[in-house]
Amino acid sequence: MPALMRTRSKNVEIAPGKVTGKAGRLVLAGLAVFVLWAVLVPLGSAVIAPASLVSSARNHKLQHLSGGVVIAVHAREGDLVEKKAARS
């Protein structure tokens, strides 16, 4: 049974299910069109812009002296270390 809505000029009958049903179908149709477009249209190219990354910290390359795997690093951010210092 439609809901009765009163306005100043006249009585208007509105069925809430019809309004929300139509809006919902419209949203689903739009979503379906977007998904179909995304699946079927190939990405021909991408925007490539020149850029460079600049670190705000003083990063250093960490390598094992004779090759292999680094198991642990015993220095923390901000620690002062000596060049070629070995763990005793």
Side-chain angles (χ1 to χ4, degrees):
M1 179 172 179
L4 188 62
M5 182 176 139
R6 294 186 184 269
T7 61
R8 289 183 183 171
S9 60
K10 57 186 173 182
N11 293 336
V12 179
E13 291 187 26
I14 298 175
K18 286 185 179 180
V19 174
T20 56
K22 287 181 183 178
R25 283 192 290 272
L26 183 64
V27 168
L28 285 176
L31 183 63
V33 167
F34 174 75
V35 169
L36 189 65
W37 170 79
V39 169
L40 296 179
V41 176
L43 181 61
S45 65
V47 176
I48 300 173
S52 62
L53 291 175
V54 178
S55 174
S56 62
R58 296 182 317 181
N59 297 334
H60 297 282
K61 191 174 197 178
L62 180 66
Q63 283 183 298
H64 193 279
L65 295 176
S66 61
V69 178
V70 175
I71 296 172
V73 177
H74 298 284
R76 300 277 180 234
E77 183 74 29
D79 286 352
L80 294 176
V81 293
E82 294 178 18
K83 189 173 184 176
K84 305 246 180 189
R87 183 175 173 220
S88 46

